[in-house]
Amino acid sequence: MVQATSFLLVLSLALVVPTLSARKCVLTGRWMNDLGSNMTIGAVNGEGNFAGSYHTAVTATTNEIQVSPLQGSQHHTNQKSQPTFGFTVNWNFSDSITVFTGQCFVDKKGNEVLKTVWLLRSHEDNIKNDWKATR
């Protein structure tokens, strides 16, 4: 009986582990980062495009922070279970735009995680100040 129980436990673990590793990372939904900023991504269409909103918790301006629109694109999920993506946020409360690029991962615990890098471009009135406009 003990051998049968051990076999069933091993068999059930063997059936569960591939399910976790094969789980697809889905961008659609609400995401929050370590600083408290959050975004909502709507459904990804058949071409890989999506729209949503971003509410940042941090800013370099003294203007009141507002929810801002985002537009993006990802690789088709039927090709990769952990897709790469990119999106642009057009900030409603400042004269700047941020582009993000990254990949959606499923970690060992089965949690979906977005890993990104970004570039923020601020408006400058003079080409001489161009050097300080991108962060």
Side-chain angles (χ1 to χ4, degrees), residues 4-127:
T5 304
S6 297
F7 174 73
L8 289 175
L9 179 60
V10 170
L11 179 61
S12 55
L13 284 174
L15 294 173
V16 170
V17 172
T19 305
L20 287 178
S21 64
R23 182 174 169 202
K24 289 189 177 188
C25 195
V26 179
L27 289 179
T28 302
R30 185 181 163 129
W31 298 89
M32 183 176 287
N33 72 11
D34 300 348
L35 300 174
S37 299
N38 64 72
M39 71 174 173
T40 302
I41 296 178
V44 179
N45 70 20
E47 296 173 349
N49 299 318
F50 58 88
S53 61
Y54 199 106
H55 188 238
T56 186
V58 296
T59 183
T61 180
T62 57
N63 297 339
E64 180 182 344
I65 294 173
Q66 299 174 19
V67 176
S68 298
L70 68 81
Q71 297 273 335
S73 184
Q74 77 163 44
H75 275 51
H76 297 291
T77 56
N78 62 350
Q79 295 173 357
K80 301 287 182 189
S81 63
Q82 300 185 112
T84 57
F85 62 89
F87 61 89
T88 301
V89 179
N90 185 0
W91 302 110
N92 281 335
F93 57 92
S94 69
D95 292 331
S96 61
I97 286 186
T98 302
V99 293
F100 294 79
T101 187
Q103 187 170 352
C104 188
F105 291 98
V106 178
D107 69 13
K108 291 180 181 180
K109 295 179 181 178
N111 298 314
E112 295 170 317
V113 178
L114 302 183
K115 289 294 193 175
T116 64
V117 294
W118 54 267
L119 286 172
L120 179 137
R121 176 64 190 212
S122 299
H123 172 81
E124 286 296 334
D125 289 326
N126 189 315
I127 196 169

